[in-house]
Amino acid sequence: NCTIYLISDNSPNEEEVFNRFYNHKTLNCVVLKSLERKGPGNARNIGIKNSYGEFIFFLDFDDFLSL
């Protein structure tokens, strides 16, 4: 069981990445939005504040995770 948090910081590349994950039928995805574009540190802090799991992985749009 895992939840994937997609945190929007209004970057230009995010829509394609969000659609790839959010439309996947077997993934549990939550979309969180930042009102301002403050960079990856702010997006990660939003993810940390909203997560409740035992493990946290930080991935940017150009990263790849194979499970």
Side-chain angles (χ1 to χ4, degrees):
N1 257 350
C2 76
T3 301
I4 298 173
Y5 291 91
L6 305 168
I7 293 112
S8 167
D9 73 343
N10 300 308
S11 83
N13 310 7
E14 70 187 23
E15 188 173 338
E16 175 189 338
V17 175
F18 279 23
N19 287 337
R20 192 174 342 146
F21 281 97
Y22 197 71
N23 293 326
H24 198 284
K25 294 179 184 354
T26 61
L27 297 176
N28 181 22
C29 293
V30 175
V31 175
L32 304 171
K33 293 190 178 261
S34 174
L35 298 177
E36 298 177 49
R37 188 163 184 210
K38 294 184 178 180
N42 183 61
R44 290 181 177 112
N45 287 335
I46 291 170
I48 290 168
K49 289 177 187 175
N50 288 279
S51 66
Y52 56 87
E54 185 175 351
F55 300 102
I56 297 175
F57 296 95
F58 297 107
L59 302 171
D60 295 316
F61 77 95
D62 57 348
D63 293 328
F64 180 80
L65 176 65
S66 178
L67 299 175

